[in-house]
Amino acid sequence: MLGLMQDQPLLISSLIEFAERHNGDGEIVSRRVEGDIHRSDWRTIASRARQVANALDNEQLLFSDRIATLAWNGYRHLELYYGVSGSGRVLHTINPRLHPDQIAWIANHAEDQILCFDLSFLPLVQAVHAKCPTVRKWIALCDADKLPADSGIPNLVSYETWMGKLSDRYDWPRFDENSASSMCYTSGTTGNPKAALYSHRSTLLHAYAAALPDVMDLSARDSVLPVVPMFHVNAWGIPYSAALTGCKLVFPGPALDGKSVYDLIESEHVTFAAGVPTVWQMLLGHMQSQDLKFSTLNRTVIGGSACPPAMIDAFQQKYKVDVLHAWGMTEMSPLGTLCTLKNKHLALPPAQQTALRLKQGRAIFGVDMKIVDGDGHELPWNGQASGDLLVKGPWVVAEYFKGEGGDPLVPDAQGRGWFPTGDVATIDADGFLQITDRSKDVIKSGGEWISSIDIENIAVAHPAVAMAACIGVAHPKWDERPIVIVVKKPGAEVTRDELLAFYGNKTVAKWQVPDDVVFVEAIPLGATGKILKTRLREQLRDYKLPEC
Ligand code: ADP
């Protein structure tokens, strides 16, 4: 017997309809590429998203055709989020930090029909447009009078000319909720990038989940600053959860330096912000140097790579901002776990609470996870056993776009497919996940695993260290030994021996202390702000351990 409830597909258009009807005057504030502050609201975004849908219909596009963006976080990007997906096309957000050849490869692979870009990416578009034969129109996200003359880009039009005069009447089509809505390529540090193809259903379920109290706890009382980019994994789903809750949205545009982000947080009374550790490092650096405090910010979600304990302490103790450490992946839309304490943890002393907050947290309902040994046997949740992390759930990929890389899933005894994350983790009895490494970065010394994240976290806790990366180096007796590569803070001093002695005071076994410290000017970062260990290993190809 089937239930007798209404059959209403979960579509992205329903989010913007809801936001317009129930929170129409909810503010959308954007710092533009031009540097000024632009003010809009959910009602206007909804109306302009319908104009975008009409403009797309005029282009004779087919259902599921891909429309690409190369854009910062801003109101026009938000209008495209809803206009493109709502009208049945697929929004393909491209990471502008990728190499131009990779961008051209991705645009060709996705067969993008239209590409919309912020003017700061004009040189990039000039470099790649001739290599993107499927793109028939290039749209600059600007007013008509800002459109550059003689750009050399054929079929270039300004966004406002393209959609600004069209009707804002549009009936959002109804279709299967499993239809594709948006896509994002992984950064492809090994091999060609692969695309996660999200659906309307997966996006809506993720949007509900992300807003939950033990996740981002979003509400119509919040002013939300996604510093995480809309060009990578949909800014962790915030543009959708924001419409669902009716919160105010504050977009930083291209200005991600500490001062600009701080000023926006204060002037727009931001209560919740989301970012990766490298961006928060700049914010905290600015605040420390100017002796500033937050007046409204009360919580922040930090993820994308491990959040160092020194950062958690600074936010929690000094600035009274709750840190929600999160873990996820492009293949998971991206949220998997989030670290919020349980009732029984509230009475714990601060040091123990910090130790818990350092973990990546508990699975969000919808995501099932397990850790397995090398033979695929499930390992216990005791906080000690560490193994390969697998996940499944309705917002986890089943396969990549165009079947790239074959079937990625690993079946269990019941035949259910689990996605191997490539991360190595422990899970404790309370269900708190802790990522110890990427499987390809694990350091194996004398048959024992050393967590490179642990080694890095200790180094960055030293006051003179700005950034640290730990890699394994071949050793004749132990197979591999860890070394730590360090960038010093400007003007700060620390020697190799001082830093190694610093490890002696920390909770790390003697054999886990790195064998050497290598000081460098900069550590290579990938397009999503993560340390590129492959590149680092190449750079240190000729490096020899001191005692070998
Ligand atoms: P990419 O952009 O490199 O394709 P993602 O943005 O999807 O990849 O990054 C996913 C990976 O980032 C995870 O598999 C994990 O290794 C790492 N990661 C994400 N969040 C955290 C975290 N909080 N702590 C440690 N590692 C993390």
Side-chain angles (χ1 to χ4, degrees):
M1 182 162 63
L2 292 176
L4 294 174
M5 308 310 281
Q6 295 185 10
D7 176 21
Q8 207 166 291
L10 299 174
L11 296 179
I12 285 174
S13 53
S14 64
L15 290 174
I16 195 69
E17 280 184 320
F18 181 86
E20 177 179 33
R21 208 164 152 78
H22 299 276
N23 295 295
D25 63 355
E27 284 184 283
I28 312 291
V29 180
S30 315
R31 191 193 295 278
R32 291 205 274 200
V33 171
E34 293 86 344
D36 62 337
I37 298 287
H38 175 274
R39 310 195 87 83
S40 183
D41 55 27
W42 282 111
R43 187 172 297 120
T44 312
I45 297 289
S47 157
R48 283 168 53 91
R50 290 192 295 270
Q51 290 179 287
V52 168
N54 277 318
L56 291 168
D57 282 3
N58 288 349
E59 301 288 346
Q60 315 296 326
L61 293 160
L62 301 175
F63 189 71
S64 292
D65 269 349
R66 270 76 67 202
I67 311 299
T69 59
L70 266 172
W72 299 108
N73 293 7
Y75 65 102
R76 289 183 177 122
H77 208 172
L78 187 66
E79 292 158 11
L80 287 163
Y81 261 54
Y82 286 102
V84 171
S85 304
S87 67
R89 282 86 188 199
V90 176
L91 181 82
H92 172 203
T93 54
I94 305 182
N95 187 337
R97 296 196 183 113
L98 294 173
H99 189 276
D101 288 346
Q102 221 170 17
I103 291 179
W105 188 94
I106 283 175
N108 283 311
H109 190 262
E111 299 167 54
D112 294 330
Q113 303 291 307
I114 291 178
L115 192 147
C116 308
F117 63 97
D118 271 331
L119 278 184
S120 35
F121 303 122
L122 180 66
L124 188 53
V125 171
Q126 285 170 320
V128 300
H129 75 87
K131 297 179 198 157
C132 302
T134 62
V135 178
R136 44 180 150 127
K137 185 163 268 178
W138 301 85
I139 298 175
L141 296 170
C142 64
D143 292 324
D145 61 347
K146 298 268 177 5
L147 192 70
D150 308 325
S151 66
I153 301 164
N155 301 320
L156 175 68
V157 64
S158 85
Y159 179 76
E160 297 299 330
T161 307
W162 178 64
M163 53 69 81
K165 293 208 170 56
L166 298 180
S167 165
D168 69 351
R169 295 177 67 88
Y170 188 83
D171 288 328
W172 296 112
R174 194 184 144 116
F175 43 79
D176 184 341
E177 63 183 16
N178 289 301
S179 305
S181 59
S182 69
M183 69 196 299
C184 181
Y185 281 76
T186 62
S187 43
T189 40
T190 51
N192 281 328
K194 297 188 288 263
L197 186 63
Y198 311 116
S199 70
H200 286 258
R201 174 185 156 82
S202 71
T203 305
L204 260 82
L205 292 176
H206 183 272
Y208 273 116
L212 282 170
D214 264 358
V215 188
M216 295 194 196
D217 191 19
L218 296 180
S219 79
R221 294 167 297 287
D222 275 313
S223 170
V224 174
L225 175 78
V227 182
V228 284
M230 289 167 79
F231 58 68
H232 191 61
V233 215
N234 299 329
W236 297 352
I238 290 174
Y240 304 116
S241 296
L244 180 147
T245 54
C247 65
K248 170 178 173 176
L249 268 179
V250 183
F251 290 128
L256 306 181
D257 61 284
K259 179 177 184 328
S260 303
V261 170
Y262 176 80
D263 290 350
L264 210 51
I265 289 176
E266 288 302 298
S267 62
E268 298 304 327
H269 309 295
V270 168
T271 54
F272 172 74
V276 296
T278 34
V279 168
W280 282 169
Q281 202 84 54
M282 294 193 283
L283 174 68
L284 292 178
H286 171 70
M287 292 181 67
Q288 273 152 14
S289 69
Q290 306 293 310
D291 200 17
L292 299 167
K293 291 262 180 297
F294 292 119
S295 33
T296 51
L297 190 74
N298 59 50
R299 64 198 195 284
T300 172
V301 60
I302 305 182
S305 48
C307 180
M311 183 171 284
I312 295 182
D313 277 342
F315 271 116
Q316 293 280 148
Q317 314 298 340
K318 186 162 180 195
Y319 299 113
K320 308 292 170 219
V321 171
D322 233 353
V323 170
L324 312 169
H325 193 189
W327 167 83
M329 308 181 73
T330 305
E331 287 90 338
M332 300 177 68
S333 308
L335 293 179
T337 65
L338 210 115
C339 195
T340 49
L341 305 188
K342 294 182 175 179
N343 189 36
K344 65 180 180 184
H345 300 131
L346 298 180
L348 290 176
Q352 283 184 43
Q353 288 197 9
T354 302
L356 262 182
R357 287 181 199 282
L358 208 56
K359 299 190 177 196
Q360 281 73 6
R362 296 180 282 132
I364 301 164
F365 171 75
V367 173
D368 202 359
M369 62 186 185
K370 65 176 179 182
I371 43 175
V372 299
D373 64 16
D375 299 322
H377 298 125
E378 193 166 350
L379 292 167
W381 290 20
N382 57 15
Q384 298 298 322
S386 120
D388 292 317
L389 176 65
L390 290 93
V391 291
K392 65 180 178 62
W395 59 80
V396 178
V397 287
E399 58 180 296
Y400 291 100
F401 183 52
K402 293 186 172 173
E404 221 64 63
D407 177 4
L409 303 189
V410 179
D412 62 16
Q414 287 78 38
R416 293 171 306 193
W418 291 75
F419 177 76
T421 63
D423 286 323
V424 177
T426 62
I427 305 176
D428 70 18
D430 286 318
F432 284 71
L433 171 88
Q434 182 154 29
I435 304 286
T436 52
D437 243 314
R438 292 291 291 166
S439 52
K440 57 182 185 294
D441 295 335
V442 160
I443 298 159
K444 223 165 178 199
S445 177
E448 297 288 340
W449 285 6
I450 298 176
S451 157
S452 63
I453 294 179
D454 281 352
I455 304 297
E456 289 157 9
N457 278 345
I458 293 174
V460 293
H462 190 285
V465 173
M467 198 185 278
C470 173
I471 60 168
V473 179
H475 187 282
K477 180 168 177 203
W478 303 111
D479 281 342
E480 270 191 325
R481 288 296 301 153
I483 62 165
V484 63
I485 294 104
V486 165
V487 179
K488 284 186 264 192
K489 285 186 183 157
E493 262 320 317
V494 59
T495 64
R496 168 188 184 275
D497 292 344
E498 280 164 0
L499 194 58
L500 291 180
F502 187 67
Y503 278 90
N505 311 324
K506 304 286 163 187
T507 51
V508 55
K510 220 173 158 87
W511 59 272
Q512 294 175 325
V513 175
D515 277 16
D516 199 9
V517 181
V518 177
F519 292 102
V520 293
E521 290 299 314
I523 287 176
L525 296 180
T528 54
K530 288 184 233 282
I531 293 172
L532 278 182
K533 293 208 175 162
T534 38
R535 180 94 44 90
L536 206 52
R537 285 193 200 96
E538 276 165 31
Q539 288 176 3
L540 291 164
R541 217 179 10 237
D542 300 328
Y543 170 85
K544 290 261 171 310
L545 283 167
E547 284 160 26
C548 292

